[in-house]
Amino acid sequence: MIVLGIETSCDDTSAAVYNGKRLLANVISTQLVHRKFGGVVPELASRSHIRLILPVIRQTLEQAGLTRSRIDGIAVTYGPGLAGSLLVGLSTAKGMAQSLEVPFIGVNHLEGHIWANRLENERLTPPFIVLIASGGHTQLMQVESWGKYQVLGRTVDDAAGEAFDKVAKILGIGYPGGPAIEKLAEDGDTKYIRFPRARLKSAGPYDFSFSGLKTAVLNHVQSIGQTETQFHIKDIAACFQEAVIAVLVENTFQAARDHQISQICLAGGVAVNKALRQAMIKTADVSNRQVSWPAAALCTDNGGMIARVGYFYLKQNQTSSLCLSPVPALNF
Ligand code: KG4
Ligand code: ZN
């Protein structure tokens, strides 16, 4: 059985083919148009998806060595994400499913991020805790079995990736912020300043908050001025990154301890961060737990993870109605 997966929830236009054993192709076209704006511009994103989606699907099928007639089902992200962007992928998937007379499966983008771990390791078995940390979301989930998830905590304001992007904007180092801050932080001094690790009394025990940290960086930069900021830019990046990582690691392992779970998985764009991975490994070693993550191309948004989830549901004959609409605020 061959499933085509389509992902257009934010600023990556992606399509992939999964055949039940592996990805035959996973083409990702990242829209560069947003860079000069320091963040994703929704209108530009949906227009770019319209231009890119059919060439990306064509390239995916070419790479997989398949014709359209070989497709047994089409899976697509229907939320969460930007309404206009989701609509492009969803309309394309519906149109193709109808013309090819194959089933259509709407996929939750966050479930896709979780399943990227299964794509990396087909033997991965629940229960496990997964930390999804991306530009749009930061949440801790317990995967009880495949298809059965419990949300343990989530951000009450900014997502971790969003904090990286906003701090990068404050420092004037471009978008996306995560890779740029990670690079600067490599040579920075983490003892330069201690930024706050938020613990909100009103929030749940595993919830996150990053907006206070972002404001603390802004206040610091404004207080020292442009010249000093440039002089200490690596140190500021390192101290900010350390604060984000400390909270991500602490909440994840607290949840794992409280729920007596030994396997931890990482997902989403922030999971590419090497310092986060190292900190996770260090804490996992001390607490006798295992931590794993997908390859970088499967951490960030991609059609492969959507095709994989679609395959799982199609196998169980769980398909979606062609009336399915985008759900920008979809959750579990
Ligand atoms: O999962 P993703 O591709 O898209 C969303 O679903 O949001 O994640 C993108 C986010 C961006 O905020 C980006 O700055 C962040 O992931 N990111 C990183 C790194 N690479 C990407 N954050 C920290 N370190 C990185 N190396
Ligand atoms: Zn994502």
Side-chain angles (χ1 to χ4, degrees):
M1 197 167 72
I2 287 178
V3 174
L4 174 72
I6 297 175
E7 158 62 39
T8 63
S9 66
C10 192
D11 61 340
D12 291 303
T13 314
S14 180
V17 174
Y18 182 73
N19 71 352
K21 289 199 176 82
R22 63 188 181 92
L23 288 177
L24 300 179
N26 190 15
V27 175
I28 304 161
S29 175
T30 300
Q31 303 171 2
L32 303 179
V33 61
H34 308 284
R35 293 206 165 163
K36 60 176 176 282
F37 299 100
V40 178
V41 183
E43 266 307 311
L44 294 179
S46 43
R47 269 187 252 168
S48 299
H49 284 307
I50 291 172
R51 271 192 300 107
L52 291 166
I53 188 70
L54 293 178
V56 163
I57 292 174
R58 212 169 291 132
Q59 197 185 336
T60 305
L61 291 173
E62 257 171 45
Q63 272 188 21
L66 296 173
T67 56
R68 268 178 291 176
S69 61
R70 295 284 310 281
I71 297 171
D72 298 302
I74 300 183
V76 62
T77 303
Y78 75 102
L82 300 169
S85 295
L86 291 167
L87 193 60
V88 177
L90 204 55
S91 310
T92 309
K94 284 182 191 175
M96 277 187 79
Q98 205 163 20
S99 70
L100 296 173
E101 296 180 354
V102 296
F104 156 80
I105 310 111
V107 173
N108 181 328
H109 179 79
L110 298 176
E111 191 171 6
H113 275 303
I114 296 172
W115 276 79
N117 281 280
R118 174 96 183 251
L119 269 178
E120 189 67 43
N121 172 15
E122 278 293 334
R123 282 180 302 184
L124 178 66
T125 317
F128 60 88
I129 299 259
V130 58
L131 168 69
I132 306 175
S134 70
H137 302 89
T138 295
Q139 67 189 51
L140 262 177
M141 316 266 308
Q142 181 168 338
V143 178
E144 289 163 11
S145 58
W146 292 111
K148 194 159 175 242
Y149 314 101
Q150 193 193 344
V151 180
L152 302 177
R154 55 166 62 103
T155 181
V156 297
D157 41 55
D158 292 349
E162 188 181 357
F164 271 96
D165 296 335
K166 286 179 175 169
V167 166
K169 203 168 179 179
I170 293 168
L171 298 176
I173 52 172
Y175 175 87
I181 288 185
E182 176 174 13
K183 188 141 199 355
L184 283 176
E186 275 168 17
D187 303 318
D189 179 3
T190 50
K191 292 193 181 65
Y192 165 70
I193 185 172
R194 185 184 161 88
F195 286 125
R197 282 95 164 119
R199 278 249 147 257
L200 300 183
K201 287 206 176 82
S202 55
Y206 316 115
D207 282 343
F208 303 93
S209 166
F210 294 108
S211 81
L213 169 60
K214 170 198 67 191
T215 308
V217 175
L218 179 64
N219 288 343
H220 180 69
V221 164
Q222 284 175 342
S223 74
I224 62 173
Q226 218 172 5
T227 316
E228 264 305 271
T229 297
Q230 279 315 312
F231 187 72
H232 283 294
I233 194 161
K234 292 179 176 173
D235 305 328
I236 297 169
C239 295
F240 159 76
Q241 180 175 274
E242 190 186 58
V244 175
I245 290 174
V247 178
L248 293 177
V249 171
E250 190 185 322
N251 282 14
T252 304
F253 281 88
Q254 191 59 51
R257 276 191 292 274
D258 294 349
H259 293 80
Q260 296 174 348
I261 302 278
S262 61
Q263 174 68 41
I264 289 159
C265 294
L266 308 182
V270 181
V272 175
N273 189 287
K274 287 190 286 295
L276 172 66
R277 291 173 172 190
Q278 276 159 14
M280 285 280 178
I281 288 184
K282 211 168 146 192
T283 314
D285 283 350
V286 174
S287 66
N288 218 0
R289 290 186 160 80
Q290 296 80 47
V291 60
S292 61
W293 49 76
L298 295 175
C299 283
T300 47
D301 290 350
N302 67 92
M305 65 191 196
I306 304 304
R308 184 65 188 84
V309 178
Y311 184 92
F312 171 70
Y313 286 112
L314 187 56
K315 266 267 181 207
Q316 302 176 56
N317 276 325
Q318 286 190 47
T319 60
S320 307
S321 148
L322 286 171
C323 298
L324 187 70
S325 298
V327 183
L330 180 69
N331 214 309
F332 285 97

